[in-house]
Each structure stands twice: as C-alpha cells, then as structure tokens.
C-alpha cells in the first residue's frame, strides 16, 4: 500500500478567520490548527467530525478556495498554491469537489447539460468540438445513471438524489484524480443515499479516482473509507485504518462519537448498549481549551490534560497504516468508561 | 453497473423545452398589454415625426388653448397649447426626444453601475471599499446641482444631459449590484465554478449577472421614470432640452402654469410618462419570472391563481 | 375500511384507557398547479401516554403533513379531507379554530426541526418561554418569568436565570432545541409531537436531546409522536412505528418486531440500505429509483415501481393494510414472501 509519493499530502495546515470580537475580546477563529493528511492513489480517506470542527474549511483549502495561513499542501509532490496561469489551470482539472447541498451547488438557471459542461468553458482544450461536448455530456449522464433526455432539464425538475448525480457528473467532467466529497449524501434520503454511495464506489473502481470523503455520519464513513481521520476543534485527534479506528479507538472522543451515533442491529434493536453520553457541547473555536482540546468534555481528563497538548500515540504498522491518537491516556491502555 | 443506475420512468413529467417566450407573454395579459404599449411608444418615437412633418412646431395663435375635441382633425384631437400647436403632434415629437435622453442614460448607468458593482461585490475587500466610497460621494452630492454646474459650463446638448443624468444614477445600480454579488459569491455554485478554475469575469457573467439582472432591470425601469422627470427639471431650468425641441418632461414643465385653464397641456405628457414607466415596470416583473426556470411555470397559470402555488414544489419535491 | 390493529395492544400492560392520541383514516389534500393531490391517504394510528410512536419515512412521504394536520398548522393550500384526530376525548378536527388554539399547549404540542426559525429572534428567550403561562394561565410577567427559568433548568440549560435574558441567536443549536422542547412541554401536554427534532444537530448533541425527550416523557407521562427519517433513532427511542411511503402507511407495528422481520418490501429496502449492515466493499443493497411524485402516484400499490416483488396484481389493486401478526400490519399483497428472506 505505501508508496513513495502519496497523491495528496498535507502537513501542518493552519487557517484562522477574523470574526466579530466575542466577550473575551477574541476575534480569531482557528478553524484548522496543524492538520496533517495523507492519501494514496485510488484510496478513500474518511474525515469525521461534528459541525464546527473545521472539516469543511479543510475541504475548501484542499480545493484552493481558501489560502492556508501556514502549512503545506502537496499534490503529487507539487504545491498548488505556488502555481500560476496554465499550470494552475492544469491542477484545477485534477482535483474536483462534490458539494453537500445538491440544491445550492447547482445554478438553477442552467440546464443539466450546461451544468455538466460548465468546466469545459474554462478548460476549452479538453473537449473543443461542440458536437463532441454533447456526446460527452450524454456519456457522463449515463455514467451517473441519468438519461440522455435529462440533459435539457433544469435542476428544479430533478429530485435531490438526481441533482447530486449531476453534481458528481460535473466533478467528473474534468476527469480528476481526486474528488473531495463534502457530506455528499447527508442531504439525501436513506434509500437514495445508498444509490449515491454505490455510484461513488463504482466510479472509483472504474476510473481509479481517490476520494476525501467528509461526513458526520460514522456508518457512512465506515462503509466507504480505507482510512479515517477524526477531527475535533481544528485538530486531527485520531487517524488510522478504518476498521482499526472503529474497532479499537484510541481517543475518548472517537469512542464517544461512535457511541453517540445510534446504531441499528440486525435484530431490530438499537445497538451499542451503554452509551458514553458526553456532557456539554463543543467549546467555542474562538476560545479553545488549553492543552488537550477535548478535556472539557472528557470523562478521564486529568491535570496534565489542561497544560500539555498531547503528542500522537501510535499503534501498529509504519505510516501510512499506522493508527495514531492524540491523547495522554489513550483508550487501548484503559478500558472505556474507566 | 448495479441497481444504482435504475431510474424510474414517469416520476417527473416528460422533459420539455421551456415554452417560447412570446407564448408565455401571451398567457400574461398584463405583461402583454405592457409590451404592446411599450412597442407603440417606440414605434411612435421612431416613425411619428416622419408622418407629422412640421405639425409639432406649426403655430396658430387663433387656435390657442383649444381643449381636446374631434372638431379639428387629427392634430386637434388632444387640444393645443398657448401658441396653438397641436399637443398630439408635440407628444409624438417629444416621445423621440424623451426616449433618446432617458434610454441611453438608463442603459449607460445600468451597464456601468452594474459592472462596477458586481466586480466590487464579487472581489470584496479594498476594491469593494473604494467603489462604495466613490458611490457615496456621488450620491451625497446633489445631482441637480451637479447637473446645473456641468450644463452651465458645457453646452446643454443631448449628449451632455445623458452623460450627467447617467453619472448621477450610477451609484443606484452599483449598490444594488454589489449587494447581490456579495451575497451570490458565497453560494456553492460560485465555489464550484472556482474549483474549475473559472476566472472572475466569466464567473460574474455566468453566475452572478443572470441572477442579479432581474433586480437590476426592475431598478432600471423605476429609474426610467426618475430620469424622465430629472430631464424635465433640467429643461424647466433652461439647461435641459432646448426649444424648439420638446420632451415630455419639458411639456409638463411648460404646461404647469396652465394647469387650471388648460389641463391637457401638462397632464397628457404626464400620462405618457406614467404609461411608459408602468408598462416598463410590469414587463420587468414579467422578465424576472420568465428568466427563472424554477418560477417560469407560474406564467402558464391564470394570473389569479399564482399566489397560491408556491407550496406545490415544496410538497412534491 | 377494515379496522386497524391498535398499536397499543403490543404491550399487554398497555393502559386500557383511551389512547392519548388517536388518528383515524386521516386524509389530506394539497391543491397544486396540476390539480389536487393526496398528500396523506387514510392514515391511522394511536399512541398511549408514556409511549413513543415513530412516524418514519423519507422526505415527501407525508409524515410532516400528518403531524401538521394533527396540530392544525397546515399551510392554506393543504386541507384535511377526511378522518378524525381524537385527543383528550374530542375530535380536534371538528373544533373551531379558537377552541383548537386552546388545546395547543395543554393537550397537543409540537417541537420543530429548525429551532432558530421557530423562536422569535428579537425577544429574550425567558419572555418567550413564559408566554404560554401568560396566555393559558393568566400569570403576571414576573410569575411567568419564574416559570420560564424553572423550565430552562428542567431541560438542562446551565445558569437559567442569567440566560433567560439572552436572545435565541446567542444559544448553540443544541441549546435552542432544548428551549423549543421547554416551550413545548411548558403546559404539560398529553401528546408531544416532535418533527425531526435532532436532524440539524450533531450526533453527540442528538444523543443528549433524545435522552432529554425520553426523560421528560417518563417524568410527565406524555405520549410522544416522533417524526423522523432516521431508522436508528426509531430503533432506539420508539416503542411503535408507522412507516409511510408516498402518503400511505405501508407498515406498522412494534419497532423491534418490524425492524427484525419487516413485512413490507419498502421497510426491508430501507433497513438494507443502512450502511452499517452492509458488507464493506460491496455495493449497498439500495432501493432503486426514487419515490413517485404525489401527482403521479400509481393507482395500484404505491411502491410498485421500486419493488422487487412487484407483479401484475400490484399494478391493478392497492393493497390494504392487513394484519401480519399481533399488533402488526403491512400493506403488501405478498408480505408472506418476505418472511423467508
């Protein structure tokens, strides 16, 4: 699995925003606080966290919609933020995004064909012949499971799941290597969600695309991701192979997150047994706790957690298959709930 | 492929091309009437003077201040002014002058104001600040005073009037366009366009202009009226349209002193202004609906039922 | 129509008393551009005090419209065209608007999904929470305020006395949802409807809110109708479930039994689509297609277009909700075939 240059490598990413001053007089919201990521070719990296943890900001930085304050993004060894002109345009072609909201991410005044073909209006050399464009749109529609006759319909004539398929077709129009999916199924109904997840998996098999798959839904991430990173208040607090993270979480937050998500057992009961019910809510990112970010809600926090920011505690293989958690008292050493 | 590719037939009505715009226009009686009125005004402005010859300037002191009647042929239909000139002929003559001032002025300020406004709103930051401060300066300066100064210094030609009226109205569009663009730039489909590498002007043209346009058009039609009236104030001060040229605004201004004795001189050009403006406004409202694919179907309904329909899409969505 | 098995008989200890809420043969029409469509068709269910019934279905299935017609908050384009809603012994559908408004709070009450939209942004929350007491009990402003603070304490808002002066936007999403719940339970209603109460919230907060609802239900002996699309939430928090599809009830019964052995292909399809149950790396067993538009619901079975079991009979005849076991019913011609799966 491990290869010399990963498709995407992110190190020490920091990003903060200026916002209105809060009561304590702070006006810098730290959305990303030293984020590292690594993604291999044809892989899916799951990114899990609650709202406000910075996962959407991370997606926007990966797509160059925001510029990070610090840290590097290396895509195939190249820093896209250093690119200009033609090279930048060539880079844009290789990384695309599927947005959460299939309603807001499609311009309601354009037809499906216009929407899917929109990237080619910038990348004119990709499909220069208008007749070929039409054929290519039909191909893409077919690829995502829509009909050729849908090409001239407007977004409001489609259901939510169909719109998300248009969004996926648009992302595929430039034949990217990497697609960042920001909660691609959270606005969809369950039966439709399964269709879209299958479509994404199928496209990965056929086209070899890699995904950064952002979601708050653990069961979805568990199903699609090869590796998982868990975010909390701008930091990645746990990272590792999916099964390992889900079966033997190192960080108490990961354990709590999995415990809080209601599960459904085959016998029709809710699984999970005893819940770890976190008290309180996410602290304000304007004023994050000192030391370990999670200590204000952690049931095993000690004095040390307030003063020292924990280093990653690792388990298992060498990178990239290493399972790491940032906790002074990782759970593998203490049973859950102790 | 797996079952994911299945797509039930008939869940949505068969795909259809949007109905032609003139068919939609036919369905909306108000908009159709408005379009006809505007068409007539345009036609009058273009062809009228050719048919009338010198009827608009021919004086006949015997016929002074005749009320509208059928007794004096076509030229007497709408009465005469103090010099015995046919009001109808003057209205027709003035239509051309009025439109040739108001339309270029509105168009100019619309195009320039919208372009700067969308550019400023889309980019934000310093560009936005500078554009907005300039707009504030123009707005805070009394436009009539500005016009008076400029037109006294330069000659009060049509081109200068157009220029000064346009300049004074640019901030209106600039502000509207900036607000729309600032809101639209945070929409996801604009982000999507940025991820393709689309540059700022194409993004503005493709995603911001079509959505901001109906609002800007509505502002423009309202402004049309304002510009016509401003032109009349200038004409009243003697620095606007110079006699023997005539505009509707000038006619209103000149007819004011006869309001009690000969109402038709001032009221009829006023009616012309109102009719034109109201028609333009109605048509703009129609354009707003007709250019929005999500709203367009409403136009296929009888007018009385439109308000009720909003919920439909939400229920079936 | 054949009588429905009462969901309450699922538990032998269920109170023999009247159900707190009994909906019978409720039908709702919506007047749309292309004519009138049936958004809710012949829906019946009942729920007793101290129990939770889940109305489960995807968007557009009519579950929210059912809830809104129960509390009388339908949009003007929608209209109840048949059936009854009995709460506190009376059919609320026959009451005048005024009489109905009197029931909102002490008898029936609802919690909405979007807490920010449901609260008045320009009034301190303490004042808003005190409102029901002033309207229904005629308390003074000061007394109502004390009651409001008490409520805030009950739903777990820290420092209620200080926070009563805050405005809705100063609370987090979870806290706002607590406020809405506080407002809904203020007058100790017999029946609490919760329309997607946790959909907008994070999982850790969702767990807290669901725990709060459960505690309140037990403490105040309320009947809870939980409207949701989330199977796992239903599995964990509801006793009985009514599954709706395209305006129709397709299956009903005790949650545990229905989820363990679904008797309607739609229920089974939903359960199979849960990623958790699927084998990793394999495609999820998805239900193909999407629900029919309400204007194009087929004359036979509403689910036929997406159903793996569909055959000729399904196109001709709409299956009735028929008993498939004690306290269970499903609307499928071939529900026996699912038992073997």
């Amino acid at each position: 699995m491990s290869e010399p240059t990963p498709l995407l490598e992110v190190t020490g990413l920091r990003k903060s925003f200026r916002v209105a001053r809060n009561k304590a007089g702070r006006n810098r919201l730290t959305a990303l606080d030293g984020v590292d990521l690594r993604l291999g070719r044809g892989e899916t990296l799951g990114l899990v966290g609650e709202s406000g943890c910075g996962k959407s900001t991370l997606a926007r930085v990966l797509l160059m919609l925001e510029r990070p304050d610090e840290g590097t993004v290396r895509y195939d060894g190249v820093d896209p933020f250093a690119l200009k002109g033609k090279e930048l345009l060539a880079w844009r072609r290789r990384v695309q995004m599927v947005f959460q909201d299939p309603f807001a991410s499609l311009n309601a005044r354009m037809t499906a064909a216009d929407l899917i073909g929109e990237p080619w209006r910038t990348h004119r050399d990709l499909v220069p012949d208008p007749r070929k464009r039409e054929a290519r749109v039909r191909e893409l529609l077919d690829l995502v499971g829509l009909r050729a006759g849908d090409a001239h319909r407007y977004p409001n004539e489609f259901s939510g799941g169909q719109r998300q398929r248009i969004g996926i077709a648009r992302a595929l129009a430039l034949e990217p290597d990497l697609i960042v999916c920001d909660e691609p199924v959270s606005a969809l109904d369950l039966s439709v969600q399964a269709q879209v997840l299958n479509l994404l998996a199928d496209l990965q098999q056929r086209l070899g695309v890699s995904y950064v798959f952002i979601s708050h839904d653990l069961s979805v991430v568990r199903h699609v991701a090869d590796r998982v990173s868990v975010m909390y208040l701008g930091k990645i607090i746990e990272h590792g192979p999916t099964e390992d993270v889900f079966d033997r979480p190192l960080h108490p937050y990961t354990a709590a997150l999995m415990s809080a998500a209601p599960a459904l057992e085959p016998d029709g009961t809710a699984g999970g047994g005893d819940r770890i019910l976190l008290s309180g809510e996410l602290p304000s990112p304007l004023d994050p706790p000192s030391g370990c970010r999670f200590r204000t809600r952690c049931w095993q926090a000690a004095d040390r957690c307030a003063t020292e920011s924990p280093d990653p505690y690792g388990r298992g293989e060498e990178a990239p298959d290493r399972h790491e958690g940032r906790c002074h008292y990782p759970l593998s050493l203490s049973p859950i709930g102790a | 492929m797996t079952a994911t590719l299945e797509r039930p037939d008939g869940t949505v009505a068969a795909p259809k091309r949007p109905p032609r715009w003139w068919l939609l226009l036919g369905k909306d009686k108000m908009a159709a009437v408005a379009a006809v009125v505007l068409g007539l005004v345009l036609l009058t402005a273009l062809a009228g003077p050719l048919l009338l010859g010198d009827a608009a300037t021919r004086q006949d002191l015997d016929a002074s201040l005749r009320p509208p009647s059928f007794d004096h042929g076509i030229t007497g239909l709408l009465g005469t002014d103090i010099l015995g000139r046919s009001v109808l002929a003057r209205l027709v003559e003035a239509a051309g002058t009025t439109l040739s001032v108001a339309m270029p002025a509105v168009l100019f300020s619309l195009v320039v104001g919208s372009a700067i406004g969308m550019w400023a709103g889309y980019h934000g930051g310093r560009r936005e600040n500078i554009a907005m401060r300039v707009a504030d300066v123009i707005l805070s300066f009394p436009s009539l005073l500005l016009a008076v100064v400029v037109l006294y210094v330069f000659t009060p030609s049509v081109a200068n009037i157009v220029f000064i009226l346009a300049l004074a109205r640019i901030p209106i569009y600039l502000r509207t366009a900036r607000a729309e663009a600032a809101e639209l730039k945070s929409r996801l489909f604009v982000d999507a366009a940025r991820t393709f590498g689309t540059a700022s002007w194409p993004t503005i043209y493709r995603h911001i202009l079509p959505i901001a346009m109906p609002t800007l058009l509505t502002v423009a039609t309202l402004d049309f009226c304002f510009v016509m009236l401003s032109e009349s104030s200038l004409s009243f001060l003697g620095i606007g349209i110079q006699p023997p040229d005539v505009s509707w605004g000038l006619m209103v201004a000149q007819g004011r002193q006869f309001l009690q004795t000969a109402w038709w001189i001032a009221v009829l050009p006023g009616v012309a202004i109102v009719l034109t403006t109201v028609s333009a406004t109605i048509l703009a409202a129609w354009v707003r609906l007709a250019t929005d694919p999500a709203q367009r179907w409403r136009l296929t309904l009888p007018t009385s039922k439109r308000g009720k329909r909003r919920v439909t899409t939400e229920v079936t969505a | 129509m054949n009588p429905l098995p009462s969901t309450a008989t699922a538990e032998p200890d269920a109170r023999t008393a009247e159900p707190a809420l009994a909906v019978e043969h409720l039908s709702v029409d919506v007047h749309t551009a292309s004519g009138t469509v049936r958004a809710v068709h012949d829906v019946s269910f009942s729920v007793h005090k101290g129990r939770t019934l889940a109305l489960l279905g995807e968007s557009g299935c009519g579950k929210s419209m059912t809830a809104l017609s129960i509390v009388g908050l339908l949009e003007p384009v929608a209209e109840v065209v048949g059936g009854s809603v009995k709460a506190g012994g009376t059919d609320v559908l026959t009451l005048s608007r005024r009489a109905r408004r009197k029931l909102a709070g002490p008898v029936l009450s609802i919690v909405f999904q979007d807490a920010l939209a449901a609260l008045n942004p320009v009034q301190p929350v303490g004042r808003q929470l005190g409102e029901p007491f002033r309207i229904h009990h005629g308390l003074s402003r000061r007394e109502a305020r004390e009651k409001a603070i008490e409520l805030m304490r009950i739903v777990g808002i820290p420092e209620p006395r200080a926070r009563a002066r805050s405005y809705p936007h100063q609370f987090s999403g979870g806290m706002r949802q607590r406020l809405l719940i506080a407002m809904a339970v203020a007058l100790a209603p017999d029946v609490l409807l919760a329309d997607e109460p946790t959909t907008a919230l994070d999982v850790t907060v969702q767990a807290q809110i669901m725990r709060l609802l459960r505690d309140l239900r037990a403490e105040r002996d309320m009947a809870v109708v939980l409207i949701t699309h989330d199977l796992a939430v239903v599995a964990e928090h509801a006793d009985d479930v009514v599954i709706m599809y395209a305006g129709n009830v397709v299956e009903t019964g005790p949650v545990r039994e229905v989820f363990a052995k679904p008797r309607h292909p739609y229920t089974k399809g939903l359960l199979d689509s849960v990623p958790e149950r699927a084998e990793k790396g394999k495609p999820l067993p998805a239900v193909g297609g999407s629900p029919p538009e309400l204007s194009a619901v087929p004359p036979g079975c509403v689910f036929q277009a997406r159903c793996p079991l569909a055959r000729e009979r399904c196109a001709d005849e709409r299956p009735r909700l028929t008993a498939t076991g004690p306290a269970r019913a499903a609307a499928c011609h071939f529900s026996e075939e699912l038992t073997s799966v």
Side-chain angles (χ1 to χ4, degrees):
Chain A
M1 273 284 209
S2 77
E3 44 183 300
T5 42
L7 184 64
L8 172 74
E9 191 165 30
V10 168
T11 38
L13 217 54
R14 273 172 221 281
K15 173 79 191 169
S16 60
F17 296 98
R18 264 220 346 237
V19 294
R21 221 165 268 277
N22 73 350
K23 268 186 227 152
R26 287 172 210 269
N27 68 342
R28 286 217 83 86
L29 186 151
T30 308
L32 300 176
D33 191 3
V35 168
D36 304 332
L37 285 183
R38 196 187 156 90
L39 173 71
R41 245 163 256 278
E43 279 186 359
T44 301
L45 172 72
L47 201 60
V48 180
E50 296 178 281
S51 54
C53 72
K55 55 192 197 298
S56 288
T57 306
L58 181 56
R60 294 177 64 83
V61 171
L62 291 181
L63 265 298
M64 284 182 70
L65 292 172
E66 306 279 354
R67 190 168 269 278
D69 303 337
E70 251 179 75
T72 54
V73 177
R74 288 252 182 281
Y75 184 83
D76 243 352
V78 178
D79 179 2
F81 288 96
L83 299 177
K84 283 219 158 63
K86 278 222 175 85
E87 285 175 326
L88 177 60
L89 219 54
W91 179 84
R92 286 285 191 197
R93 187 182 287 182
R94 302 182 60 185
V95 184
Q96 284 296 299
M97 181 152 177
V98 172
F99 294 87
Q100 167 175 12
D101 188 338
F103 297 83
S105 59
L106 302 179
N107 186 341
R109 284 156 195 264
M110 291 164 78
T111 61
D114 291 342
L115 286 163
I116 294 171
E118 192 193 340
W120 302 327
R121 289 164 79 169
T122 303
H123 301 264
R124 286 177 187 281
D125 51 326
L126 199 63
V127 196
D129 181 359
R131 225 167 314 148
K132 283 223 183 84
R133 274 191 201 184
E134 226 168 275
R136 184 86 181 101
V137 163
R138 276 202 296 275
E139 257 175 65
L140 284 167
L141 281 170
D142 185 54
L143 192 63
V144 298
L146 294 170
R147 290 177 307 182
D150 292 333
H152 298 292
R153 304 191 344 180
Y154 288 92
N156 64 302
E157 298 173 65
F158 292 97
S159 69
Q162 291 171 335
R163 283 185 226 205
Q164 198 56 298
R165 286 167 193 262
I166 295 176
I168 293 170
R170 179 174 63 180
L172 290 171
L174 295 176
E175 298 161 29
D177 304 331
L178 171 66
I179 300 183
V180 177
C181 304
D182 188 4
E183 305 259 13
V185 295
S186 65
L188 306 179
D189 278 320
L190 187 61
S191 71
V192 178
Q193 165 182 317
Q195 296 170 18
V196 172
L197 289 177
N198 285 346
L199 171 66
L200 288 172
D202 185 68
L203 292 172
Q204 184 163 51
Q205 262 176 15
R206 288 212 262 171
L207 311 174
V209 283
S210 311
Y211 295 120
V212 172
F213 194 98
I214 299 175
S215 180
H216 68 280
D217 189 331
L218 294 160
S219 62
V220 168
V221 169
R222 184 171 196 166
H223 185 75
V224 301
D226 301 307
R227 274 172 245 287
V228 177
S229 292
V230 183
M231 280 187 87
Y232 188 79
L233 278 181
K235 274 189 194 300
I236 291 196
I237 50 105
E238 180 150 9
H239 172 79
T242 307
E243 289 308 308
D244 213 29
V245 171
F246 275 84
D247 292 340
R248 293 178 299 151
L250 289 170
H251 200 286
Y253 176 65
T254 312
L257 203 58
M258 289 193 293
S259 164
L264 194 58
E265 298 293 318
D267 63 353
T269 57
D274 272 347
R275 282 296 180 75
I276 307 169
L277 202 56
L278 287 182
S279 56
E281 300 191 9
L282 204 65
S284 162
L286 280 175
D287 196 6
S290 62
C292 172
R293 294 280 162 101
F294 184 60
R295 68 178 167 84
T296 52
R297 299 169 80 192
C298 185
W299 61 94
Q300 54 177 13
D303 293 345
R304 184 182 167 198
C305 302
T307 51
E308 275 175 65
S309 185
D311 288 326
Y313 164 86
R315 174 163 78 191
E317 327 262 323
E318 284 305 294
D321 280 330
R322 197 173 158 79
H323 180 181
E324 288 182 338
R326 281 176 185 272
C327 180
H328 290 306
Y329 307 100
L331 291 175
S332 60
L333 305 178
S334 61
I336 290 181
Chain B
M1 279 293 275
T2 57
T4 55
L5 289 199
E6 282 176 31
R7 189 182 167 285
D9 288 304
T11 51
V12 187
K16 58 219 172 248
R17 301 288 307 152
R20 297 280 156 217
W21 64 266
W22 57 83
L23 290 180
L24 281 181
L25 190 58
K27 294 251 184 186
D28 191 325
K29 289 212 180 62
M30 287 287 278
V33 169
V36 169
V37 169
L38 279 187
L40 281 178
V41 170
L42 269 180
L43 204 67
T44 312
L46 289 174
L50 301 176
L51 298 176
L52 284 169
D54 67 341
T57 46
R58 201 188 305 138
Q59 301 183 4
D60 178 1
L61 291 177
D62 292 341
S64 173
L65 295 183
R66 264 198 205 134
S69 76
F70 291 105
D71 304 338
H72 305 281
I74 283 190
T75 48
L77 208 55
L78 297 181
T80 57
D81 66 2
I82 186 80
L83 296 176
R85 294 176 297 194
S86 160
V87 169
L88 177 64
R90 286 174 65 74
L91 272 179
V92 171
E93 183 80 24
T97 328
T98 305
L99 291 187
S100 69
V101 170
M103 287 213 308
V106 168
L107 273 180
F108 184 77
S109 49
L110 172 68
V111 170
V112 174
S114 305
I116 300 176
M118 286 189 295
W119 171 81
Y122 180 76
H123 288 287
R126 203 169 36 176
R127 283 171 266 203
E128 184 179 14
N129 276 334
I130 293 172
M132 291 315 286
R133 291 302 81 77
V134 171
D136 286 347
V137 168
I138 296 180
L139 264 189
S140 60
F141 201 80
S143 56
L144 201 60
L145 187 62
L146 185 77
V148 169
V149 171
V150 171
L151 292 175
Y152 268 122
V153 174
F154 301 98
T155 50
S157 68
V158 169
N160 280 343
I161 297 170
V162 166
F163 173 75
I164 205 70
L165 287 175
L167 186 70
R169 303 309 287 170
I170 282 177
I172 308 289
Y173 303 96
L174 199 155
R175 289 183 154 199
T176 314
R178 186 212 63 94
E180 291 265 331
E183 194 263 320
L184 289 169
K185 79 165 175 189
S186 57
R187 297 275 191 94
L188 282 181
F189 53 78
V190 174
D191 278 346
R194 288 175 64 200
T195 65
F196 313 142
T198 314
S200 57
W201 277 113
T203 309
I204 290 174
Y205 173 74
R206 218 174 289 158
H207 294 297
I208 294 184
L209 181 65
I211 298 177
M213 201 57 192
T215 310
L216 291 167
L217 273 184
T218 310
V219 174
T221 51
L222 294 175
D223 218 35
F224 197 61
C225 177
F226 181 89
V227 167
M228 281 194 272
L229 294 175
S230 303
E231 175 259 308
S232 79
S233 328
L234 291 179
S235 303
F236 183 69
L237 291 174
I239 51 173
I241 300 298
Q242 301 295 308
D245 279 350
V246 64
S247 72
W248 288 342
L250 187 60
M251 284 176 77
V252 173
Q254 289 174 343
R256 272 192 344 158
Q257 45 185 319
F258 305 107
L259 214 46
Q260 308 210 324
T261 49
W263 55 268
W264 54 91
I265 301 178
V267 168
L268 291 177
V271 169
I273 291 179
V274 169
L275 263 183
T276 311
T277 317
V278 168
S279 300
T281 312
I282 290 172
L283 207 61
W286 177 84
V287 167
R288 174 190 279 274
L289 280 186
T291 53
D292 187 342
Q295 310 273 337
R296 193 181 288 144
W297 59 275
R298 289 192 198 192
L299 292 173
T300 60
L301 300 172
T303 321
S304 59
K305 296 199 170 159
R306 248 171 241 164
K308 275 184 130 185
R309 303 294 166 208
R310 188 179 55 82
V311 190
T312 325
T313 43
E314 288 155 25
V315 170
T316 51
Chain C
M1 283 278 140
N2 52 329
L4 285 168
S6 162
T7 49
T9 49
E11 302 275 312
D13 66 295
R15 280 138 259 219
T16 44
E18 289 238 324
L21 174 73
V23 175
E24 270 161 33
H25 308 302
L26 181 74
S27 291
V28 178
D29 277 359
V30 176
H31 307 288
T32 74
S34 44
T36 299
V37 299
R38 186 54 61 88
V40 175
H41 182 75
D42 195 27
V43 167
S44 304
F45 59 83
S46 63
V47 52
H48 281 81
K49 283 193 162 187
R51 291 181 68 81
T52 299
L53 174 108
L55 274 183
L56 176 68
E58 300 182 291
S59 52
C61 74
K63 57 188 194 300
S64 286
M65 201 150 294
T66 304
L68 291 176
S69 40
I70 292 170
V71 290
L73 289 175
L74 281 178
E75 297 251 358
V77 288
E79 178 190 3
V80 176
V81 288
S84 64
V85 174
K86 288 209 178 68
T90 48
D91 182 356
V92 299
L93 295 181
T94 61
L95 297 178
S96 69
R97 280 179 82 166
R98 214 192 152 96
R100 228 174 148 172
R101 214 174 296 146
K102 281 218 173 98
L103 293 182
V107 177
L108 282 167
S109 147
I110 187 163
V111 177
F112 290 105
Q113 172 183 350
D114 187 352
L116 194 56
L119 292 165
N120 181 346
V122 295
Q123 227 180 52
V125 297
R127 174 108 58 96
Q128 292 183 58
L129 286 180
E131 201 102 310
F133 298 107
R134 302 194 59 205
I135 295 169
H136 287 272
H137 296 174
L139 296 190
S140 74
R141 188 164 276 198
R142 179 182 295 262
E143 290 165 322
R145 189 182 154 75
E146 286 307 310
K147 285 273 194 189
I149 290 167
E150 169 71 9
L151 269 178
M152 289 172 76
R153 195 187 52 71
I154 289 171
V155 296
I157 288 172
E159 304 172 54
R161 193 163 290 277
R163 307 261 9 217
R165 271 189 287 272
S166 305
Y167 291 88
H169 74 268
Q170 293 168 309
F171 290 84
S172 67
M175 286 297 153
R176 279 200 288 264
Q177 204 61 46
R178 285 172 191 269
L179 288 171
L180 267 203
I181 292 172
M183 206 174 319
V185 301
L187 300 170
D190 302 328
V191 183
L192 179 70
L193 292 101
D195 191 357
E196 304 267 7
T198 59
T199 303
L201 304 175
D202 285 321
V203 277
T204 57
V205 181
Q206 172 179 328
Q208 296 169 359
I209 296 289
M210 289 313 298
R211 172 83 43 108
L212 170 68
L213 272 177
R214 192 155 66 177
D215 293 348
L216 284 172
R217 181 194 69 184
E219 226 169 79
R220 310 196 156 202
D221 201 25
M222 292 185 298
V224 173
V225 178
L226 182 67
I227 294 118
T228 181
H229 68 277
D230 191 328
L231 294 171
V233 166
V234 173
E236 190 169 344
H237 297 282
D239 303 304
D240 304 297
V241 62
V242 172
I243 297 161
M244 290 184 70
Y245 184 81
N248 287 254
V249 174
V250 293
E251 182 158 13
T252 149
V255 173
R256 223 167 246 242
E257 290 175 37
V258 171
F259 279 15
K261 291 197 185 74
R263 290 298 187 82
H264 194 283
Y266 176 61
T267 316
K268 183 167 174 1
L270 272 186
L271 288 162
D272 287 343
S273 318
V274 176
E276 226 153 357
R277 293 186 162 197
E279 203 177 326
K280 197 175 158 95
K282 293 262 172 66
L284 293 162
V287 188
S290 42
E293 301 245 337
L294 289 176
S295 53
V297 174
C301 173
V302 287
F303 189 58
Q304 52 175 300
R306 306 171 75 189
C307 183
L309 300 178
R311 51 201 84 169
E312 240 169 80
R313 190 178 164 200
C314 306
D316 304 333
E317 191 189 329
R318 183 166 294 184
R320 289 180 167 188
L321 205 55
T322 38
T324 56
R328 290 190 58 180
C332 178
H333 292 308
F334 307 104
S335 59
E336 326 81 55
E337 288 179 28
L338 281 174
T339 53
S340 53
V341 188

